Amino acid sequence: MRKIRKKRGLLGILMIAALLGTGCNREQANPQLYVDHGIRETPVTVFTENAEVSAAIEERCKAVLNQDESTNITVYSDSANYYAEDGLSYRELLLKRLASGNADDLYMIHAEDVLEFDEKGYIYDMSALEFTGNLSHDALTQSTYNGKVFSIPLSYTGFGFIWNVDMLKQYGLKLPENLEEFLNVCETLKENGILPYGANKDYALTVPVMCVGLHDIYQSDDCNEKLEALSNGTAAISEYMEKGFDFLQMMIDKGYMNPDRALETLPKKEEEKSFFANGNCAFICAIYSGKALEGYPFEIAMTPLPVLENGSVCVVGADQRMAINPRSKHLDSAIAIVEALGQAETLDTFAKNQGRISSSKNATAPDIPQTDSLIACIAEGRQIPNQDFSLNFNVWENVRDLSQQLCRGKSAAQVAAEYDSIQMEEISKYGN
């Protein structure tokens, strides 16, 4: 059975006036049509990961486009949700559409795809566009690769732990603020028959490993020198990341998480959230948003990761990155949409409606008391980016995949050594 896709849009208006013959002129059998052609509609298509983001983009476009009546840009959106039954991921669908040569004018790009997409010629350089001056320093830095601004981040966010505060109180525990306190919380819960960490197979593995492995780089005074050495291959990534993989192995060995369950848990279905909400674990990893904090029958708090000897850290990143297809048939209109969305006030409103941090210089965030410590940590700076584009190799994607291999039985030393090999291969491929 053929399925019919509905597209929503900001409808352009075609005014048609009919002037009927009047008086005694009976020879005029049909009305004469006077068409006000006005400004011809320009259809621009956007491909996103889910319908919620599509609707939010359309809503903001409706508020800021065509204000001077010199344009009539109509935004049509399509989301990967529609194709879910075909079994393809958003990334697979996006690549097929871009490779077709007849793809969307705008699309959402994942951080881990930037290196490959740039090599394939799928990225339009936005460096000269005015919106770049409205972004916060961190948001702009995380939207720049190889001298190109590859996307406009519609929001900014961070990853942290969400805790069942009631459960902690039940066992005389408080929210941990450093590694010693964290391990004490995990051990106490395990001794009382509670699984501490309800992990999924994606960011719940990736984030803790990156926090433990990379904080020595980003919180050091010689951060730039360390990044340069990693990027040109004179320093091995395992020098840092083996500690992160060791941490994950420790969590498994001590029974603080279930690796088999993690590998079966899909973040897109929010399975770990339901597991957590039902009281089956004490904390989960989540991306900061108002929605992530809803639906729990107990008191919660969202914190940075207390996995350092002297405190906490988190993974941050520009989020909901919108890129321009350089082969767009409506390039000028696609650019106009990006410029409209990139107004500081528009970015602030978009983030507020999504329950996220604004990517504008204002860096506004929702007033959610349960997340105060996470927001304070992000505001300090020197946190770990989900992808650092000064590096000529991927971080997030590689750490995720290698962490999954560790959960399947490989040792920390083995996956760290494999990362060294990947590092050199990708430097050879993507390095200048």
Side-chain angles (χ1 to χ4, degrees), residues 150-182:
F150 61 84
S151 70
I152 174 173
L154 298 180
S155 61
Y156 195 80
T157 194
F159 289 87
F161 283 159
I162 297 181
W163 299 84
N164 182 334
V165 176
D166 288 348
M167 183 180 287
L168 296 185
K169 289 178 179 178
Q170 182 180 348
Y171 296 99
L173 300 168
K174 64 176 184 177
L175 291 169
E177 297 181 358
N178 56 47
L179 179 59
E180 181 180 2
E181 294 177 0
F182 173 77

Short mmCIF file of all heavy atoms in Angstrom, two decimals, residues 150-182:
data_model
loop_
_atom_site.label_atom_id
_atom_site.label_comp_id
_atom_site.label_asym_id
_atom_site.label_seq_id
_atom_site.Cartn_x
_atom_site.Cartn_y
_atom_site.Cartn_z
N PHE A 150 30.16 25.21 9.45
CA PHE A 150 29.41 24.20 8.70
C PHE A 150 27.93 24.15 9.06
O PHE A 150 27.14 23.49 8.37
CB PHE A 150 30.03 22.81 8.91
CG PHE A 150 30.04 22.35 10.34
CD1 PHE A 150 28.93 21.73 10.90
CD2 PHE A 150 31.17 22.53 11.13
CE1 PHE A 150 28.94 21.31 12.22
CE2 PHE A 150 31.19 22.11 12.45
CZ PHE A 150 30.08 21.50 13.00
N SER A 151 27.52 24.82 10.14
CA SER A 151 26.11 24.76 10.52
C SER A 151 25.77 25.91 11.45
O SER A 151 26.65 26.57 12.01
CB SER A 151 25.79 23.44 11.23
OG SER A 151 26.39 23.42 12.53
N ILE A 152 24.48 26.13 11.62
CA ILE A 152 23.99 27.02 12.65
C ILE A 152 23.41 26.15 13.76
O ILE A 152 22.51 25.35 13.52
CB ILE A 152 22.92 28.01 12.13
CG1 ILE A 152 22.36 28.82 13.30
CG2 ILE A 152 21.82 27.31 11.36
CD1 ILE A 152 21.43 29.94 12.88
N PRO A 153 23.95 26.24 14.97
CA PRO A 153 23.41 25.44 16.07
C PRO A 153 22.16 26.13 16.64
O PRO A 153 22.23 27.25 17.12
CB PRO A 153 24.55 25.44 17.10
CG PRO A 153 25.27 26.73 16.84
CD PRO A 153 25.11 27.04 15.37
N LEU A 154 21.03 25.47 16.55
CA LEU A 154 19.79 26.09 17.00
C LEU A 154 19.66 26.09 18.52
O LEU A 154 18.79 26.76 19.07
CB LEU A 154 18.59 25.37 16.37
CG LEU A 154 18.55 25.45 14.83
CD1 LEU A 154 17.33 24.71 14.30
CD2 LEU A 154 18.55 26.89 14.35
N SER A 155 20.52 25.34 19.19
CA SER A 155 20.56 25.39 20.66
C SER A 155 21.91 24.87 21.13
O SER A 155 22.74 24.45 20.32
CB SER A 155 19.41 24.57 21.27
OG SER A 155 19.51 23.20 20.90
N TYR A 156 22.12 24.90 22.42
CA TYR A 156 23.36 24.43 23.04
C TYR A 156 22.95 23.54 24.21
O TYR A 156 21.90 23.75 24.82
CB TYR A 156 24.16 25.63 23.55
CG TYR A 156 25.59 25.31 23.90
CD1 TYR A 156 26.56 25.21 22.91
CD2 TYR A 156 25.99 25.12 25.21
CE1 TYR A 156 27.87 24.93 23.22
CE2 TYR A 156 27.31 24.84 25.53
CZ TYR A 156 28.25 24.75 24.53
OH TYR A 156 29.55 24.46 24.84
N THR A 157 23.75 22.55 24.50
CA THR A 157 23.31 21.63 25.54
C THR A 157 24.49 20.94 26.20
O THR A 157 25.65 21.16 25.84
CB THR A 157 22.33 20.59 24.96
OG1 THR A 157 21.66 19.92 26.02
CG2 THR A 157 23.05 19.58 24.09
N GLY A 158 24.20 20.11 27.17
CA GLY A 158 25.21 19.33 27.87
C GLY A 158 24.63 18.00 28.31
O GLY A 158 23.40 17.83 28.39
N PHE A 159 25.50 17.06 28.59
CA PHE A 159 25.09 15.74 29.10
C PHE A 159 25.44 15.64 30.58
O PHE A 159 26.53 16.04 30.99
CB PHE A 159 25.81 14.61 28.35
CG PHE A 159 25.35 14.43 26.93
CD1 PHE A 159 25.91 15.15 25.90
CD2 PHE A 159 24.34 13.51 26.63
CE1 PHE A 159 25.50 14.98 24.59
CE2 PHE A 159 23.92 13.32 25.32
CZ PHE A 159 24.50 14.06 24.30
N GLY A 160 24.53 15.12 31.36
CA GLY A 160 24.79 14.93 32.78
C GLY A 160 24.09 13.68 33.29
O GLY A 160 23.50 12.91 32.52
N PHE A 161 24.15 13.47 34.59
CA PHE A 161 23.44 12.37 35.25
C PHE A 161 22.15 12.88 35.86
O PHE A 161 22.13 13.96 36.47
CB PHE A 161 24.29 11.76 36.36
CG PHE A 161 25.40 10.86 35.90
CD1 PHE A 161 26.50 10.60 36.74
CD2 PHE A 161 25.38 10.23 34.67
CE1 PHE A 161 27.52 9.75 36.35
CE2 PHE A 161 26.40 9.38 34.26
CZ PHE A 161 27.47 9.15 35.10
N ILE A 162 21.07 12.13 35.69
CA ILE A 162 19.82 12.41 36.40
C ILE A 162 19.70 11.40 37.53
O ILE A 162 19.77 10.18 37.30
CB ILE A 162 18.60 12.32 35.47
CG1 ILE A 162 18.69 13.38 34.37
CG2 ILE A 162 17.30 12.52 36.27
CD1 ILE A 162 17.51 13.39 33.41
N TRP A 163 19.48 11.88 38.74
CA TRP A 163 19.50 11.05 39.95
C TRP A 163 18.11 10.93 40.56
O TRP A 163 17.33 11.89 40.57
CB TRP A 163 20.43 11.66 41.01
CG TRP A 163 21.85 11.77 40.58
CD1 TRP A 163 22.42 12.77 39.86
CD2 TRP A 163 22.90 10.84 40.87
NE1 TRP A 163 23.76 12.53 39.67
CE2 TRP A 163 24.09 11.34 40.28
CE3 TRP A 163 22.95 9.62 41.57
CZ2 TRP A 163 25.30 10.69 40.36
CZ3 TRP A 163 24.17 8.98 41.65
CH2 TRP A 163 25.32 9.50 41.06
N ASN A 164 17.83 9.76 41.11
CA ASN A 164 16.65 9.54 41.95
C ASN A 164 17.03 9.99 43.36
O ASN A 164 17.62 9.23 44.13
CB ASN A 164 16.25 8.07 41.93
CG ASN A 164 14.99 7.79 42.74
OD1 ASN A 164 14.66 8.51 43.69
ND2 ASN A 164 14.28 6.71 42.40
N VAL A 165 16.71 11.24 43.67
CA VAL A 165 17.11 11.82 44.95
C VAL A 165 16.44 11.11 46.12
O VAL A 165 17.06 10.89 47.18
CB VAL A 165 16.80 13.33 44.99
CG1 VAL A 165 17.13 13.93 46.35
CG2 VAL A 165 17.57 14.06 43.88
N ASP A 166 15.20 10.71 45.94
CA ASP A 166 14.48 9.99 47.01
C ASP A 166 15.19 8.68 47.36
O ASP A 166 15.29 8.31 48.53
CB ASP A 166 13.04 9.70 46.59
CG ASP A 166 12.17 10.95 46.56
OD1 ASP A 166 12.63 11.99 47.08
OD2 ASP A 166 11.06 10.88 46.02
N MET A 167 15.69 7.99 46.33
CA MET A 167 16.38 6.73 46.57
C MET A 167 17.68 6.96 47.34
O MET A 167 18.02 6.20 48.26
CB MET A 167 16.67 6.02 45.25
CG MET A 167 17.31 4.65 45.40
SD MET A 167 17.62 3.84 43.79
CE MET A 167 15.94 3.40 43.31
N LEU A 168 18.40 8.00 46.98
CA LEU A 168 19.63 8.31 47.69
C LEU A 168 19.34 8.61 49.16
O LEU A 168 20.03 8.11 50.07
CB LEU A 168 20.34 9.51 47.05
CG LEU A 168 20.85 9.34 45.61
CD1 LEU A 168 21.64 10.58 45.19
CD2 LEU A 168 21.71 8.10 45.46
N LYS A 169 18.32 9.40 49.41
CA LYS A 169 17.96 9.75 50.79
C LYS A 169 17.57 8.52 51.60
O LYS A 169 17.86 8.42 52.80
CB LYS A 169 16.81 10.76 50.79
CG LYS A 169 17.20 12.16 50.30
CD LYS A 169 15.99 13.08 50.30
CE LYS A 169 16.35 14.48 49.85
NZ LYS A 169 15.15 15.38 49.80
N GLN A 170 16.94 7.58 50.93
CA GLN A 170 16.49 6.36 51.61
C GLN A 170 17.67 5.61 52.23
O GLN A 170 17.53 4.95 53.26
CB GLN A 170 15.76 5.46 50.62
CG GLN A 170 15.21 4.17 51.22
CD GLN A 170 14.50 3.31 50.17
OE1 GLN A 170 14.23 3.77 49.06
NE2 GLN A 170 14.20 2.08 50.53
N TYR A 171 18.84 5.73 51.61
CA TYR A 171 20.02 5.02 52.10
C TYR A 171 21.05 5.98 52.71
O TYR A 171 22.24 5.64 52.83
CB TYR A 171 20.65 4.20 50.98
CG TYR A 171 19.70 3.11 50.50
CD1 TYR A 171 18.94 3.29 49.35
CD2 TYR A 171 19.54 1.93 51.23
CE1 TYR A 171 18.05 2.32 48.92
CE2 TYR A 171 18.66 0.95 50.81
CZ TYR A 171 17.91 1.15 49.66
OH TYR A 171 17.03 0.17 49.26
N GLY A 172 20.58 7.15 53.11
CA GLY A 172 21.45 8.11 53.78
C GLY A 172 22.52 8.69 52.89
O GLY A 172 23.59 9.09 53.38
N LEU A 173 22.25 8.78 51.60
CA LEU A 173 23.23 9.28 50.64
C LEU A 173 22.86 10.66 50.13
O LEU A 173 21.68 11.04 50.14
CB LEU A 173 23.35 8.31 49.46
CG LEU A 173 23.77 6.87 49.80
CD1 LEU A 173 23.57 5.96 48.59
CD2 LEU A 173 25.23 6.84 50.25
N LYS A 174 23.84 11.40 49.66
CA LYS A 174 23.60 12.69 49.04
C LYS A 174 24.16 12.67 47.62
O LYS A 174 24.89 11.75 47.23
CB LYS A 174 24.27 13.80 49.85
CG LYS A 174 25.78 13.70 49.88
CD LYS A 174 26.40 14.90 50.61
CE LYS A 174 27.94 14.82 50.54
NZ LYS A 174 28.57 16.00 51.18
N LEU A 175 23.80 13.68 46.86
CA LEU A 175 24.32 13.76 45.49
C LEU A 175 25.85 13.85 45.53
O LEU A 175 26.40 14.74 46.17
CB LEU A 175 23.75 14.99 44.79
CG LEU A 175 22.26 14.96 44.46
CD1 LEU A 175 21.79 16.34 44.02
CD2 LEU A 175 21.97 13.92 43.39
N PRO A 176 26.54 12.94 44.86
CA PRO A 176 28.02 12.96 44.90
C PRO A 176 28.58 14.12 44.09
O PRO A 176 28.01 14.53 43.07
CB PRO A 176 28.39 11.62 44.26
CG PRO A 176 27.24 11.29 43.37
CD PRO A 176 26.01 11.82 44.06
N GLU A 177 29.71 14.64 44.56
CA GLU A 177 30.34 15.78 43.90
C GLU A 177 31.75 15.47 43.43
O GLU A 177 32.40 16.34 42.83
CB GLU A 177 30.35 16.98 44.84
CG GLU A 177 28.95 17.46 45.21
CD GLU A 177 28.96 18.67 46.12
OE1 GLU A 177 30.07 19.12 46.51
OE2 GLU A 177 27.87 19.19 46.44
N ASN A 178 32.26 14.28 43.71
CA ASN A 178 33.59 13.89 43.22
C ASN A 178 33.64 12.37 43.11
O ASN A 178 32.67 11.67 43.46
CB ASN A 178 34.70 14.42 44.13
CG ASN A 178 34.53 13.99 45.57
OD1 ASN A 178 34.28 12.81 45.86
ND2 ASN A 178 34.65 14.93 46.50
N LEU A 179 34.76 11.84 42.64
CA LEU A 179 34.87 10.41 42.38
C LEU A 179 34.70 9.57 43.64
O LEU A 179 34.01 8.55 43.62
CB LEU A 179 36.22 10.11 41.72
CG LEU A 179 36.49 8.64 41.39
CD1 LEU A 179 35.45 8.09 40.44
CD2 LEU A 179 37.89 8.47 40.82
N GLU A 180 35.32 9.97 44.74
CA GLU A 180 35.22 9.20 45.98
C GLU A 180 33.76 9.09 46.43
O GLU A 180 33.29 8.00 46.79
CB GLU A 180 36.06 9.86 47.08
CG GLU A 180 36.04 9.09 48.40
CD GLU A 180 36.88 9.76 49.48
OE1 GLU A 180 37.46 10.83 49.22
OE2 GLU A 180 36.96 9.19 50.59
N GLU A 181 33.05 10.19 46.40
CA GLU A 181 31.64 10.17 46.79
C GLU A 181 30.81 9.36 45.81
O GLU A 181 29.88 8.64 46.22
CB GLU A 181 31.11 11.60 46.89
CG GLU A 181 31.75 12.42 48.02
CD GLU A 181 31.26 13.86 48.04
OE1 GLU A 181 30.42 14.21 47.17
OE2 GLU A 181 31.73 14.64 48.90
N PHE A 182 31.13 9.45 44.54
CA PHE A 182 30.41 8.70 43.51
C PHE A 182 30.55 7.20 43.74
O PHE A 182 29.56 6.45 43.70
CB PHE A 182 30.94 9.07 42.13
CG PHE A 182 30.38 8.24 41.00
CD1 PHE A 182 29.09 8.47 40.53
CD2 PHE A 182 31.14 7.25 40.40
CE1 PHE A 182 28.57 7.70 39.49
CE2 PHE A 182 30.64 6.48 39.36
CZ PHE A 182 29.35 6.71 38.90
#
